């Protein structure tokens, strides 16, 4: 039940982020949002793992949905990030220092939580 919910939410999230244009443009990842989206599944899974309670299929469906949205969010962020890293490596290997500096700024802007 949890996996089904995760797959459906991931598919819906990818469609949403694609329509929103998030997979095409770079954006700074929101670490707090990402943790909050993964937290319900983690709490449900670990409390069941340690034997504190038994999870139900309805609860698994409910807690799997935010996880799937969070996973889609990570994919929408990661694709432009990987392309920026590849461009950085290519510019560094070609010795284009000005481009390397600009690309380091882009990559840093996407991952650094403060700036």
């Amino acid at each position: 039940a949890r996996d089904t919910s995760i797959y459906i939410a991931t598919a819906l999230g990818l469609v949403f982020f694609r329509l929103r244009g998030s997979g095409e443009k770079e954006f700074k990842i929101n670490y707090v949002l990402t943790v909050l989206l993964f937290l319900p599944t983690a709490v449900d899974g670990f409390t069941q793992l340690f034997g504190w309670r038994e999870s139900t299929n309805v609860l698994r469906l409910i807690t799997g949905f935010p996880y799937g949205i969070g996973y889609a969010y990570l994919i929408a962020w990661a694709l432009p990030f990987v392309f920026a890293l590849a461009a950085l490596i290519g510019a560094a290997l070609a010795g284009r220092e000005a481009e390397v500096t600009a690309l380091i700024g882009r990559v840093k802007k996407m991952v650094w939580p403060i700036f």
Side-chain angles (χ1 to χ4, degrees), residues 23-115:
E24 296 173 352
K25 60 184 176 183
E26 299 170 358
F27 60 93
K28 184 185 287 192
I29 190 165
N30 186 334
Y31 294 104
V32 175
L33 174 66
T34 305
V35 169
L36 288 175
L37 288 169
F38 290 137
L39 193 60
T41 302
V43 169
D44 183 38
F46 281 116
T47 56
Q48 182 178 348
L49 175 69
F50 294 133
W52 297 339
R53 60 174 193 75
E54 186 64 32
S55 185
T56 64
N57 281 339
V58 172
L59 187 58
R60 289 176 187 156
L61 281 170
I62 293 170
T63 60
F65 199 82
Y67 185 96
I69 297 294
Y71 187 59
Y73 177 74
L74 280 178
I75 292 171
W77 167 81
L79 288 176
F81 179 72
V82 167
F83 288 130
L85 281 178
L88 174 62
I89 292 169
L93 290 175
R96 299 185 302 262
E97 295 300 323
E99 190 177 346
V100 167
T101 304
L103 287 167
I104 288 174
R106 278 177 53 198
V107 169
K108 187 173 151 184
K109 186 178 179 182
M110 292 176 73
V111 295
W112 199 252
I114 299 168
F115 304 111

